[in-house]
Each structure stands twice: as C-alpha cells, then as structure tokens.
Amino acid sequence: MPGLVTNVSEVHRSRVGQRSPRRVATISLHTSPLDQPGTGDAGGLNVYVVEVAKQLAGRGIEVEIFTRAVCPDELPVVELVPGVLVRNVVAGPFEELDKNSLSGQICPFTFGVLRTEAAFEPGRYDLLHAHYWLSGQVAAVAAERWGVPLIQSMHTLGKVKNLALANGDYAEPDARIRGESEVIAAADRLVANTATEARQGATTGTVRWVLAISVVGAIIAMVVVYGLVHGV
C-alpha cells in the first residue's frame, strides 16, 4: 500500500506538541452509543464510538455524538460521561429502521444536526468524525457548512462486500456504492481501523487513507489530521 495509506503513528511522531481540537462532532446515524451491544444493529461499532469518545474526553477534548432518536421518550441530550454528550436527533419514525431504509432519513437528520449547531455561537465544533457511509453523507454537508475538517471511518465498503458475495447473498444497493464514493471524495482523511480495511480502502484510489489500529490510534488520527489540515 505504499503511497496510498499512511500509518498514523509515523506521522504522529513528527508532530508531537501540535494543537488539538477543542470539540469533536461525531456522527453515528444508524446506531446509538446508548444502545446495549447485541441488540438491534448495536454491536462492535457502538463500543468503538463510545471508547473513542471517552478517551478523547479524558484528554480534554469534548465530544458530542449525534444519533437518530428511535423512541419519543428519549431525552434530546444525554451525558454519557463528563465531556461526552449524546444528541438524539428526531428524523423519521420513532422506531428502529434497517440500514437500507435509513438512507431516506439522511436529509431530515442532516437538518437536525445543522439546527443544533446553529443554536450556538459559530465555531462550536473543530472537527467532524463520521462512522459508516450514511453518517458520512450527513457529515459531508456539515463539514462544508461549518468549514471544519471531516474524518471518515467507513468500517465496511459496499463495493468490497459485493466482490465476496456467497450464494443467496444480496448485493449492496447502487445507492450505497454511489454514496460511499461521494463520502470518500468529501473526506479530508479516511481512517482504516485494520490493515485489511486499509488494503480494501486502497482500491478506491484515494491517497487520503490513514491506518489507525486501535481506539488510541483513532484518537491520534483525529489530532494529527486536525493539525495537518490547519497547518499546526
């Protein structure tokens, strides 16, 4: 993967002492960090989002996680731990939706995220971090509006999944393939969490992939990318 994927630890060593973001907006449209892993679509991604947020907060970087409200009784804002807020955005019906149905809620969810930011003084968020392509669609709009860098974690790629279909499997829809291409083009950097994901990402042809194995690696990636984009 020479030239296509950068190991974040190598860049970090040359940028020790750089300025860090004050507050990160994390987009997790299709699954809430408040959900119990193992229920619905909640699983490893939930754990990952929560752990990254907690460790960022432990380093003095505030995090606000935007997710879709699925119950009318949910509070609009929940403190996960000191320094980490979960914002439940109303977008679509108050119920769990499968990933193929969630694309229809991208626009109302995006409006909800933008309305939240507009209620504060300009410059509330320094950085966006989105998980999965659905969240990336939202974050791409917000990043352009707010003028902040976007870090995207794809986790899986529809194009790659379609190349390894087993008998009886359904191909990922064209809407996802197009959506992923748009997100990849919009992101300032794309974070790969494993060497396998990095190799798969390299097939997209972009040179903006960063290999950040482990939660700590993802945190370093955000700080490093913030510095690279802002030249600090």
Side-chain angles (χ1 to χ4, degrees):
M1 300 176 288
L4 289 176
V5 179
T6 302
N7 190 316
V8 70
S9 63
E10 297 173 2
V11 180
H12 180 59
R13 282 193 291 269
S14 66
R15 302 186 68 83
V16 174
Q18 71 179 47
R19 183 160 57 96
S20 298
R22 296 173 299 109
R23 185 180 291 113
V24 175
T26 297
I27 311 296
S28 182
L29 168 57
H30 81 284
T31 182
S32 171
L34 299 176
D35 290 344
Q36 181 67 30
T39 61
D41 276 333
L45 177 55
N46 295 61
V47 175
Y48 179 84
V49 171
V50 168
E51 288 306 311
V52 169
K54 286 180 177 179
Q55 294 213 28
L56 281 169
R59 288 163 169 77
I61 301 172
E62 295 182 20
V63 181
E64 296 186 12
I65 305 171
F66 291 83
T67 192
R68 194 180 73 88
V70 297
C71 176
D73 297 329
E74 288 177 332
L75 296 174
V77 184
V78 176
E79 184 182 61
L80 187 64
V81 296
V84 179
L85 297 180
V86 177
R87 295 190 176 276
N88 293 302
V89 177
V90 177
F94 287 112
E95 61 184 13
E96 298 283 354
L97 298 175
D98 63 53
K99 294 175 186 177
N100 292 330
S101 300
L102 276 174
S103 58
Q105 307 306 327
I106 288 176
C107 285
F109 186 85
T110 302
F111 292 146
V113 171
L114 296 179
R115 278 196 300 268
T116 297
E117 188 272 346
F120 296 95
E121 292 294 321
R124 180 167 180 81
Y125 305 108
D126 295 322
L127 186 69
L128 272 154
H129 184 201
H131 296 273
Y132 197 62
W133 76 275
L134 292 166
S135 299
Q137 291 272 306
V138 177
V141 175
E144 184 176 6
R145 179 72 64 89
W146 301 343
V148 301
L150 165 60
I151 296 178
Q152 176 69 34
S153 294
M154 298 301 290
H155 298 285
T156 62
L157 290 167
K159 176 180 164 183
V160 173
K161 292 182 74 172
N162 284 349
L163 292 174
L165 292 175
N167 288 335
D169 286 348
Y170 290 99
E172 293 296 318
D174 291 340
R176 174 178 178 176
I177 307 304
R178 290 194 303 272
E180 288 179 343
S181 296
E182 293 167 356
V183 170
I184 289 170
D188 291 279
R189 291 294 188 278
L190 297 111
V191 175
N193 299 308
T194 66
T196 298
E197 187 181 345
R199 285 193 297 272
Q200 293 171 346
T203 66
T204 64
T206 179
V207 297
R208 299 189 308 279
W209 286 89
V210 176
L211 177 59
I213 296 176
S214 78
V215 167
V216 173
I219 293 167
I220 293 172
M222 280 186 267
V223 174
V224 167
V225 171
Y226 178 75
L228 288 173
V229 172
H230 287 284
V232 296

